[in-house]
């Protein structure tokens, strides 16, 4: 019988004979008449729990279980808890450690059954498990009732008056567990790879087990090795448990392999685990014991549609995903699956193969991700994998293009090209801020798609996605990502021999290099784009490069050259039909004029630029023009006018999340406050500007603000401002 035989424990029955005084009598339990050795049956005390193992850093979970029991005692009720978690996370170890502690308080015995959720033969039948429990409780085999209802009734009757604990290990469903709940105020602990939310109807308390924290994982490794290698090689120990991602099973397997080789340093196992493709193989012992085997069991227990999504999610290039990403991988309207993508994600989450990290946000445990990748390679044909990645890349391009338009409706759009099949677009809400927030959240995934798309046979997705990220990069200034995206995008455009795409990558990428501080590199890219535009006879494209080249010359300190380029751009761009770009050229010219000590000319250019930008509803760049007009007012000795303009710009830029431009406004506002003698207010504004410059990695303006802070008088008491 599976439930009893798997227990590996013992009771006070040997060879089918009950030990102790034998009193012939008869009794009725739950309507079932038992007429032999009832006194002995009443005295039978099974001790079926397997031995406990050392428990590491589960203080919070043990406290939670203690709280469940304490509440049950206060109310005179049974205590029921379900411990769930990923295979190998230590659910059974926690259950055994806690239940063994309770033995003195439960002299009636311990019952144990492996419910076999992951067994190749399928989950254990509750009726068979009840038969084993009844025999363990002293019921002679010939008097065990036939039907599950009668067995459950007798089981509850026999346990109503005795103090026992029950461990139901590796449960498949709440329905499998319910008949196995004892009577009386006893303790039942259930472990499962699935979340047993259905047991809340029986008053069950949910305890979810996460992988170990790094310090606890190192401690577990030390216990497993039982030598001094962890103490003498602490850095390697931390790296090793990091590669095990805190999964106790993985740490124990790595430790067991090292324990068998006592003269090998920890770096041996670190090297074995360093390569992702071989990591699961390295975390195996005795051939079929280890992380891969544990995860294979969970995978094999999935319904076919959930197993397919699990495999396809292994192709996801990022670390987090939601329903829209799942739908894209499946193929549009859930890829013909019987259940929706959201329902299938719930199945994977309930199976503890996904970790929920927010509303409609999931991720894999690191080792589970490697397993999903391996199952995709094994179970999905190469063509199906390529098609799934292309669907996902199209989803990213389409949604990023939506965000691009929301952030900057005037950003010139190139036509997008997609693969066959429906394109899934995520609904991130309405408005510029929602678009910026979506792009910020998804940036790691979008960058991964840009990096991989060309090698995956979708080079157009690489440059088009990089192109769509342009307005976001201008707002949020992630310069390293900015430059990397356009390098990969340019390589994809080169592979396609698409001159227009090459020019877009050069100009947008050059702006990133400019922001990062490599001004010479930026100028080289702009000049290369200018030559390509000229060769193609593209007057508008060439005129735009005049503006970009002027920016580079300005940053290189060549103000006269910059002024000439901006003047040409301001004249040629409106002639080519782009009045907004012409206004931006005049705004840049105003900045140069201010640097050349000509504030009147700077004010004229900035005011003209502001008027055009306001008329075309470009609120972001109109606010930038206000900042420049504020700086001009400061130069002219008008701090009140400057403050009015700068505060107006600040409100717009804060709402847009434009941290660099906010910092520029705050720096000028700090100067205005200092001019008015409000030194405490100036200090606050400078400090916020410094924090923002630091956050967006702009060391030069940050150094200027630090110098301004040092020049301020010491803080005073009671100063206004």
């Amino acid at each position: 019988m599976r439930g009893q035989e798997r227990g590996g424990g013992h009771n006070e029955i040997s060879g089918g004979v009950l030990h102790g005084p034998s009193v012939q009598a008869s009794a009725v339990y739950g309507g079932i008449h038992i007429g032999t050795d009832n006194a002995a049956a009443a005295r039978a005390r099974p001790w079926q729990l397997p031995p406990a193992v050392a428990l590491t850093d589960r203080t919070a979970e043990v406290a939670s279980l203690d709280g469940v029991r304490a509440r049950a005692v206060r109310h005179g009720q049974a205590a029921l808890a379900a411990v769930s978690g990923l295979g190998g996370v230590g659910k059974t170890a926690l259950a055994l450690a806690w239940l063994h502690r309770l033995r003195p308080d439960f002299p009636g015995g311990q019952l144990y059954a492996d419910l076999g959720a992951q067994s190749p033969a399928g989950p254990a039948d509750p009726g068979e498990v009840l038969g084993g429990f009844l025999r363990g409780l002293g019921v002679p085999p010939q008097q065990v009732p036939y039907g599950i209802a009668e067995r459950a009734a007798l089981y509850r009757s026999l346990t109503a008056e005795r103090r026992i604990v029950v461990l139901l290990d590796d449960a498949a469903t709440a329905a499998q567990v319910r008949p196995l709940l004892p009577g009386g105020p006893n303790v039942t602990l259930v472990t499962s790879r699935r979340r047993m939310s259905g047991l809340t109807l029986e008053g069950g308390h949910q305890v979810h087990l996460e992988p170990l924290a790094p310090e606890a994982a190192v401690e577990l490794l030390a216990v497993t090795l039982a030598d001094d290698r962890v103490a003498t090689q602490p850095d390697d120990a931390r790296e090793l448990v990091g590669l095990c991602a805190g999964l106790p099973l993985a740490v124990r397997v790595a430790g067991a392999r090292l324990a068998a080789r006592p003269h090998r340093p920890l770096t041996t196992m670190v090297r074995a685990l360093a390569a992702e493709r071989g990591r699961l193989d390295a975390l195996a012992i005795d051939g079929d014991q280890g992380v891969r085997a544990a995860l294979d069991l969970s995978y094999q227990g999935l319904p076919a549609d959930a197993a397919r999504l699990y495999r396809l999610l292994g192709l996801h290039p990022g670390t987090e995903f939601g329903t829209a990403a799942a739908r894209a991988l499946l193929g549009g309207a859930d890829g013909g699956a019987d259940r929706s993508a959201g329902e299938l994600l719930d199945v994977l989450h309930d199976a503890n193969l996904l970790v929920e990290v927010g509303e409609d946000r999931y991720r894999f445990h690191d080792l589970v991700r490697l397993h999903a990748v391996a199952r995709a390679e094994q179970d999905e044909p190469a063509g199906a994998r390529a098609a799934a990645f292309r669907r996902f890349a199209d989803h990213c391009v389409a949604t990023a293009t939506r965000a691009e338009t929301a952030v900057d409706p005037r950003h010139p759009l190139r036509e997008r090209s997609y693969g066959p099949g429906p394109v899934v677009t995520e609904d991130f809400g309405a408005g510029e801020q929602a678009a910026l927030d979506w792009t910020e959240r998804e940036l790691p995934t979008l960058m991964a798609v840009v990096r991989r798309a060309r090698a995956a046979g979708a080079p157009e997705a690489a440059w088009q996605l990089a192109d769509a990220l342009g307005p976001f990069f201008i707002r949020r200034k992630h310069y390293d990502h900015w430059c990397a995206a356009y390098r990969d995008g340019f390589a994809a455009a080169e592979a396609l021999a698409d001159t227009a795409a090459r020019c877009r990558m050069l100009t947008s990428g050059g702006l990133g290099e400019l922001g990062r501080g490599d001004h010479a590199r930026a100028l080289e890219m702009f000049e290369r784009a200018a030559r390509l535009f000229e060769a193609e006879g593209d007057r508008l494209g060439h005129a735009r490069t005049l503006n970009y080249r002027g920016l580079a010359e300005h940053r290189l300190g060549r103000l006269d050259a910059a002024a000439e380029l901006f003047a040409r751009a301001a004249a040629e761009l409106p002639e080519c039909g782009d009045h907004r770009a012409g206004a931006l050229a005049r705004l840049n010219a105003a900045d140069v004029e201010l640097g050349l000590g000509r504030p009147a000319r700077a004010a004229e250019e900035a005011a003209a630029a502001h008027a055009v930008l306001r008329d075309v509803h470009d609120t972001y760049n109109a606010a930038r023009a206000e900042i420049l007009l504020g700086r001009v007012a400061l130069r002219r000795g008008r701090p009140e006018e400057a403050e009015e303009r700068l505060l107006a710009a600040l409100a717009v830029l804060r709402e847009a999340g434009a941290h660099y431009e906010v910092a520029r406004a705050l720096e000028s506002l700090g100067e205005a406050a200092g001019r008015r003698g409000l030194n405490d207010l100036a200090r606050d504004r400078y400090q916020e500007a410094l924090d923002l410059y630091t956050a967006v990695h702009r060391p030069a303006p940050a150094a200027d603000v630090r110098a301004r802070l040092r020049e301020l008088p010491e803080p005073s008491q009671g100063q206004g401002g």
Side-chain angles (χ1 to χ4, degrees):
M1 195 290 301
R2 170 186 282 164
Q4 173 91 20
E5 290 173 355
R6 292 187 183 186
H10 67 278
N11 54 41
E12 295 185 9
I13 304 175
S14 178
V17 179
L18 291 168
H19 296 288
S22 177
V23 178
Q24 295 295 326
S26 65
V28 176
Y29 290 97
I32 306 297
H33 181 272
I34 300 177
T36 176
D37 281 347
N38 290 307
R43 293 168 55 85
R45 292 188 299 166
W47 302 105
Q48 298 177 355
L49 290 184
V53 297
L55 196 64
T56 304
D57 189 37
R58 294 302 188 191
T59 306
E61 291 83 359
V62 168
S64 180
L65 293 172
D66 286 339
V68 172
R69 184 189 169 205
R71 287 191 295 274
V73 169
R74 284 198 303 271
H75 297 289
Q77 298 172 341
L80 172 61
V83 180
S84 66
L86 176 65
V89 80
K91 302 179 294 295
T92 302
L94 170 65
L96 289 171
W98 186 65
L99 290 175
H100 274 296
R101 282 179 41 197
L102 303 185
R103 177 167 176 164
D105 297 331
F106 291 87
Q110 303 163 336
L111 293 173
Y112 170 85
D114 179 353
L115 298 188
Q118 315 305 321
S119 169
D125 177 77
E128 291 185 17
V129 176
L130 281 170
F133 280 177
L134 291 173
R135 289 190 292 273
L137 291 167
V139 177
Q142 67 273 18
Q143 295 201 23
V144 172
Y146 178 74
I148 187 172
E150 291 80 6
R151 290 184 180 187
L154 179 56
Y155 169 61
R156 288 192 298 271
S157 297
L158 289 173
T159 55
E161 300 298 330
R162 69 169 72 202
R163 303 272 291 163
I164 67 166
V165 299
V166 181
L167 175 55
L168 304 173
D169 202 18
D170 195 22
T173 64
Q176 183 193 32
V177 167
R178 288 190 184 100
L180 307 177
L181 300 178
N186 293 309
V187 172
T188 303
L189 200 55
V190 181
T191 73
S192 179
R193 298 189 184 199
R194 296 177 173 85
R195 297 170 191 266
M196 293 278 110
S197 55
L199 290 180
T200 56
L201 299 174
E202 281 71 34
H205 178 78
Q206 304 294 313
V207 177
H208 184 69
L209 219 52
E210 296 287 353
L212 295 171
E215 298 79 7
V218 169
E219 181 183 343
L220 177 60
L221 180 63
V223 169
T224 306
L225 284 175
D227 57 28
D228 65 350
R229 278 180 283 181
V230 169
T232 58
Q233 303 166 53
D235 293 339
D236 291 327
R238 281 191 292 272
E239 186 174 359
L240 175 57
V241 300
L243 290 167
C244 293
L247 191 67
L249 173 62
V251 175
R252 286 187 182 279
V253 169
R257 293 187 63 177
L258 284 164
R261 299 165 178 82
H263 301 297
R264 290 191 179 181
L266 301 186
T267 50
T268 303
M269 184 57 68
V270 170
R271 286 195 297 269
L273 299 180
E276 284 193 345
R277 293 190 67 85
R279 191 172 304 167
L280 293 180
D281 292 329
L283 290 171
I285 195 167
D286 296 333
D288 61 349
Q289 301 295 315
V291 176
R292 185 192 297 276
L295 295 175
D296 278 343
L297 288 174
S298 293
Y299 172 72
Q300 290 157 10
L302 293 172
D305 51 0
R308 177 171 180 257
L309 177 58
Y310 176 77
R311 297 192 298 270
L312 294 179
L313 287 171
L315 305 175
H316 189 286
T319 56
E320 291 186 7
F321 43 82
T323 303
R327 288 187 64 234
L329 287 164
L330 285 168
D334 302 313
D338 294 334
R339 287 174 283 193
S340 70
E343 291 170 326
L344 294 176
L345 287 170
D346 285 341
V347 172
L348 296 178
H349 176 255
D350 289 344
N352 286 300
L353 291 169
L354 294 181
V355 179
E356 192 172 26
V357 294
E359 185 178 358
D360 191 33
R361 299 291 291 172
Y362 301 90
R363 66 170 175 83
F364 279 127
H365 179 278
D366 287 352
L367 297 180
V368 179
R369 178 181 59 81
L370 295 181
H371 183 261
V373 170
R375 296 309 309 205
E377 292 177 352
Q378 179 177 332
D379 299 341
E380 288 287 324
R385 296 198 302 271
F389 180 85
R390 179 58 193 262
R391 291 193 299 268
F392 183 73
D394 287 348
H395 155 71
C396 291
V397 172
T399 310
T401 300
R402 254 194 76 210
E404 171 190 22
T405 302
V407 173
D408 187 354
R410 291 152 297 277
H411 188 245
L413 282 176
R414 277 288 306 271
E415 183 179 352
R416 305 301 189 210
S417 55
Y418 301 106
V423 177
V424 176
T425 305
E426 186 163 355
D427 181 11
F428 50 73
E432 177 182 346
Q433 191 61 46
L436 288 168
D437 290 345
W438 176 86
T439 312
E440 186 83 55
R441 185 189 72 185
E442 297 293 340
L443 187 59
T445 295
L446 301 175
M447 291 297 300
V449 172
V450 172
R451 284 194 301 272
R452 296 188 189 184
R454 182 163 57 100
E460 60 278 6
W463 83 259
Q464 289 174 7
L465 183 52
D467 188 47
L469 289 170
F472 168 80
F473 285 138
I474 289 171
R475 296 291 194 276
R476 294 290 171 88
K477 313 294 184 188
H478 295 291
Y479 291 114
D480 288 343
H481 289 317
W482 189 341
C483 296
Y486 288 104
R487 279 196 301 272
D488 287 324
F490 181 78
E494 287 270 75
L496 291 165
D498 186 332
T499 299
R502 279 196 292 247
C503 290
R504 288 291 283 262
M505 296 299 97
L506 286 168
T507 53
S508 296
L511 289 172
E513 296 290 351
L514 199 64
R516 193 165 65 170
D518 194 343
H519 307 142
R521 168 69 177 152
L523 181 59
E524 177 189 336
M525 293 171 71
F526 296 144
E527 289 177 338
R528 184 176 179 184
R531 291 192 295 271
L532 287 170
F533 279 126
E534 194 167 36
E536 291 289 307
D538 186 340
R539 288 189 62 229
L540 176 58
H542 186 270
R544 285 174 177 156
T545 65
L546 295 172
N547 197 17
Y548 301 142
R549 289 152 63 193
L551 289 170
E553 295 285 9
H554 189 187
R555 299 286 176 82
L556 288 165
R558 301 195 282 254
L559 299 189
D560 290 334
E564 179 186 350
L565 287 163
F566 288 142
R568 288 176 59 193
E572 292 183 25
L573 283 164
E575 291 175 0
C576 295
D578 195 340
H579 295 276
R580 172 176 170 271
L584 292 175
R586 296 193 75 171
L587 180 58
N588 293 328
D591 204 12
V592 171
E593 293 294 339
L594 192 60
L596 290 169
R598 299 195 285 257
R601 180 64 180 155
E604 180 183 338
E605 293 285 1
H610 182 268
V612 173
L613 294 167
R614 182 192 58 211
D615 289 345
V616 298
H617 308 291
D618 186 349
T619 55
Y620 168 76
N621 283 304
R624 291 180 60 235
E626 284 278 18
I627 291 177
L628 207 147
L629 288 166
R631 290 170 57 209
V632 170
L634 281 172
R635 182 70 62 87
R636 289 173 157 179
R638 304 170 185 169
E640 291 82 2
E641 178 191 339
E643 183 139 338
E644 182 180 352
R645 289 188 178 279
L646 292 165
L647 287 172
L650 186 64
V652 172
L653 295 168
R654 281 196 194 278
E655 186 176 353
H659 302 313
Y660 172 71
E661 299 297 344
V662 167
R664 294 190 70 197
L666 285 166
E667 181 181 2
S668 294
L669 281 165
E671 183 180 348
R675 295 273 187 94
R676 296 167 58 198
L678 303 175
N679 293 326
D680 288 350
L681 178 59
R683 183 174 292 101
D684 290 343
R685 288 169 168 174
Y686 283 144
Q687 186 59 56
E688 188 179 355
L690 175 60
D691 293 343
L692 287 170
Y693 280 139
T694 303
V696 297
H697 310 292
R698 296 301 295 267
D704 292 342
V705 172
R706 287 192 189 94
R708 289 177 181 270
L709 280 166
R710 286 193 295 269
E711 292 169 2
L712 285 173
E714 289 298 317
S716 60
Q717 296 294 325
Q719 183 184 11

